[in-house]
Amino acid sequence: MNNKFNETMKFEPPIEKIDSVEEIILSVFYSLKERGYDPVNQIIGYILSGDPTYITSHNNARSTICRIERDELLEELLKFYLMNKR
C-alpha cells in the first residue's frame, strides 16, 4: 500500500491579485470618463449615498469599487489630497 494515501494534502487556493485602493479609484475614474460621465460627481454620489448605481458597470467598474469600503475610499482620497497640499 502506498504511504501517500496516509498523508494529508494541503490545499492552497490561488492568490487573488488585490488591487490597491489607488488602482481601484483610477480604474473606476477612467471607466466613468469613457462612458461620458463626470467621474468626480459620480464617485461623490457613490461615497455619500452608498448606491453603487452611481458607478457604471462598464469594465466591471461597479463591482471593482464595491471591493473596498466607502470609508477606505474616502480615507485614500483625503490622504492623497492632504499629502499634495503640504
Side-chain angles (χ1 to χ4, degrees), residues 6 9 11 15 23 30-31 33 43 48 50 65-67 73-74 76 78 80 83:
N6 294 330
M9 302 250 326
F11 175 76
I15 298 172
E23 290 172 323
Y30 290 121
S31 293
K33 196 162 187 69
I43 293 171
L48 292 177
I65 203 162
C66 288
R67 290 177 23 202
L73 179 59
L74 190 56
E76 186 71 20
L78 184 59
F80 180 81
M83 290 178 71

Side-chain angles (χ1 to χ4, degrees), residues 31-58:
S31 293
L32 287 164
K33 196 162 187 69
E34 281 179 21
R35 297 304 277 178
Y37 296 106
D38 179 341
V40 173
N41 285 342
Q42 296 304 114
I43 293 171
I44 288 171
Y46 169 69
I47 291 171
L48 292 177
S49 71
D51 185 353
T53 60
Y54 278 97
I55 307 301
T56 182
S57 58
H58 177 64

